[in-house]
Amino acid sequence: MSVETGFYGIGILALLLLMRIPVALAMIAVSFGGIAVLLGFKPALGIVTSTPYSFVASWTMSAVPMFLLMGFISFHAGLTTNLFEAAKAILWRVPGGLAISSIFACTGFAAVSGSSIACAAAMGRIAIPEMVAAGYRPSFAAGALAAGGTIGALIPPSILMIVYGVFAETSITQVFVGGIGVGILTALSYCLIVLAVCWLRPDIVPRTLTKVAGKGGGRAAILRIWPLAILVLLVFGGLFSGYFTATEAGAVGAGGAFLLSAVTGKLSMQVVRISLLETLTTCASLFIIGIGASMFTRFLGITGLSSFIGSFVAGADLGYAELMAIIVVIYLILGMFMEPFGALLVTLPVLLPVLKAEGISLVWFGVLVVKLLEIGMITPPVGLNVFVIKNVASRYVTVVQVFKGVLPFMLADLLVVILTITFPAIVLSLPQLFF
């Protein structure tokens, strides 16, 4: 009866999500109702009152507001504004150099952001007008920035990876390090798409070179990113050398962002106020989803459904390729309709027992699932990055045009997913080297 209650719970949750009930509220309601049916009202009420504190008070979760604060301070204080100019200074001689520069600028921004939406919005405001002025088709320029923004969740510090590490009870630092390989591979695959389009369709991406503009020329543009370079070296040098934990690295990064902003004269009360407010509002939305997921995990554990599904998959004798194909399809479909944190935390309670039963590395899977969730950020009808880019470039493109622009980059994403599944060393080689 308990396992049946678990299935009923999943069905009701799916129904509530289809009714557009917020994912956090849906998980809390289903968990409370299910536990009340199984154990009684008082135990259910006890879980509702204890779970929020136990989740939010987690030492590991304190990395989330710290890394978010680091990213918001860096952005609002202008430490990231010269990334695009610096990338242009290096890559302007390459055909399609503006688009490739925007992709590498997104990769650099990702190292202090952890958010694909923030990455797309910040770089889109800067790069799209310049790309359109240089003769790029607006839909392709917007698509490149929408796709480039997804790198924000693959290059550490990734908020998605932190949340995954907490729920999967695996090393966040190792997931961070594993994400570097897939993040770089994604950036390179996007660059190949740009080069191919430039070669085959010069009417979309012009082959003409774009000289570096701006005060002091290219060399000065590169030198102007020194505060950001110091911040990245400080945080990740300490993190990957083992001197900092992921949580400590977040605190060091936030403190370093404040200090470097002050040294460069860009720190103001307005910057502090906006950064703190955005950190608090983002954490609130993430934590309420996390609380709902924690309750849902406990509900499934009480029903015995998690163990049942793990045993069923083990008994079904699914091959590695078949299991991965099922998981990829699940996340690609969910990504079309749900935001990444909701899709991640709804599925982990069900999938983790399966992965453990099959002996699949949770570090490797963490990187793969973040990549799959980020593909959802550019797929219709709810590709959040697409709508972000449309908002910052509304004078150039419509939503439909941006979705058309991301299509070639989605093909690159699927290739990266296939390579990651076929060659797990893309993820695991760096963690094995450092740890």
Side-chain angles (χ1 to χ4, degrees), residues 19-244:
M19 295 170 60
R20 310 301 296 171
I21 302 298
V23 63
L25 298 181
M27 287 193 289
I28 291 171
V30 169
S31 304
F32 179 81
I35 295 170
V37 168
L38 293 171
L39 302 180
F41 180 78
K42 286 188 177 180
L45 187 61
I47 290 175
V48 168
T49 56
S50 64
T51 300
Y53 175 79
S54 61
F55 178 79
V56 175
S58 166
W59 170 250
T60 308
M61 284 300 294
S62 64
V64 173
M66 290 296 98
F67 278 124
L68 284 173
L69 184 58
M70 179 180 78
F72 286 130
I73 286 288
S74 299
F75 173 65
H76 290 297
L79 299 184
T80 59
T81 53
N82 293 308
L83 278 172
F84 183 56
E85 293 298 323
K88 281 198 304 178
I90 299 170
L91 299 166
W92 73 272
R93 294 181 182 276
V94 179
L98 281 179
I100 293 174
S101 296
S102 70
I103 291 167
F104 278 105
C106 286
T107 306
F109 188 90
V112 294
S113 169
S115 166
S116 62
I117 291 177
C119 192
M123 291 299 112
R125 288 189 184 96
I126 300 169
I128 291 175
E130 192 164 339
M131 292 167 69
V132 173
Y136 284 69
R137 183 171 292 182
S139 60
F140 185 85
L145 268 297
T150 65
I151 301 172
L154 290 167
I155 300 292
S158 167
I159 307 303
L160 266 175
M161 289 180 180
I162 295 173
V163 174
Y164 170 83
V166 170
F167 275 88
E169 297 180 347
T170 192
S171 169
I172 295 172
T173 304
Q174 291 190 39
V175 179
F176 273 179
V177 176
I180 294 174
V182 175
I184 293 174
L185 182 62
T186 298
L188 292 176
S189 70
Y190 290 168
C191 293
L192 290 176
I193 291 293
V194 173
L195 289 172
V197 173
C198 181
W199 178 258
L200 298 172
R201 294 290 303 273
D203 58 313
I204 297 176
V205 177
R207 296 177 185 173
T208 54
L209 305 180
T210 306
K211 290 187 178 181
V212 177
K215 186 178 179 179
R219 187 173 181 180
I222 296 173
L223 292 176
R224 282 195 291 270
I225 66 168
W226 69 265
L228 197 64
I230 290 176
L231 183 60
V232 170
L233 288 174
L234 174 67
V235 173
F236 298 110
L239 182 64
F240 298 153
S241 66
Y243 193 75
F244 304 147

